[in-house]
Structure formats: structure tokens, C-alpha cells
Amino acid sequence: NRTREHLIGLVFDELADGRTVAGYGAAAKATTILNFCGGVAEQLKYVVDTTPFKQGRYLPGTGLRILSPDEAAKDPADTLLLLAANYLGHVLRHNPHKGRWIVPQPLPAVI
């Protein structure tokens, strides 16, 4: 529960500082994280995913639209919440987003 509260706090701190936040990674664990962290999904602009099959659909239980990276680049978020933390290294090496990232696991942090 402390980890959940810390993650919620990080997202709301970003918003309080005037930053926009979106999710990154529409994996099944994204649905679990967002539904467990009540109130966070409603604060996100959208979720970005590189899988063409997922793009244009919605993340279950959240109502968040899944966008391609190109679509998201038209309305970029200041901060991305990495919803598939097991891909952290790959995402940071290959993603053009140079803004802030919130990593939820193993302990929530902003990088």
C-alpha cells in the first residue's frame, strides 16, 4: 500500500507542477497498476504503445485510448508513466521522449 500511495503521489506531484502525464506501455500489467492506483488513470492523457494491434483501442477498465508513438508526438506529455517497468532499459534507449519518466517498480521514482 505504501508503494501505491507513493506512485499516486508522484503522478499528482507532476500534475501539481503543471506537467501533463501519459502512460507508456499497454501491457496487461498496465491495467492492473492503473486500476490498483485509483484516480491515476483519470489523470493520464493517453497511453502510448508500439504494438500496432493495440493502437486505436482502449486500455481495459480505464477508458484510456492507446496511441502510437507518432500519434502521441502530436500532443506530447511532459512526463510518461512507464507501465511496463520490465522494459525500462529498452524503452529509455530507444524512445525519443526526452522528458521525465515515472517508473513504478521496484520503488516508484521519477527519472
Side-chain angles (χ1 to χ4, degrees), residues 17-38:
D17 288 342
R19 295 183 188 97
T20 56
V21 182
Y24 190 91
K29 65 186 101 211
T31 301
T32 303
I33 290 169
L34 292 176
N35 285 300
F36 184 64
C37 295

Side-chain angles (χ1 to χ4, degrees), residues 50-73:
T50 59
T51 309
F53 176 75
K54 295 178 183 181
Q55 296 164 3
R57 298 176 186 267
Y58 293 85
L59 197 63
T62 67
L64 288 167
R65 186 173 165 110
I66 302 168
L67 304 181
S68 69
D70 290 339
E71 242 183 315

Side-chain angles (χ1 to χ4, degrees), residues 27-94:
K29 65 186 101 211
T31 301
T32 303
I33 290 169
L34 292 176
N35 285 300
F36 184 64
C37 295
V40 169
E42 293 81 10
Q43 306 306 315
L44 302 181
K45 293 173 71 169
Y46 48 75
V47 174
V48 181
D49 198 282
T50 59
T51 309
F53 176 75
K54 295 178 183 181
Q55 296 164 3
R57 298 176 186 267
Y58 293 85
L59 197 63
T62 67
L64 288 167
R65 186 173 165 110
I66 302 168
L67 304 181
S68 69
D70 290 339
E71 242 183 315
K74 295 174 187 173
D75 184 20
D78 301 311
T79 304
L80 292 177
L81 170 58
L82 184 59
L83 297 168
N86 54 314
Y87 291 109
L88 175 63
H90 177 79
V91 168
L92 293 180
R93 280 191 306 273
H94 296 97

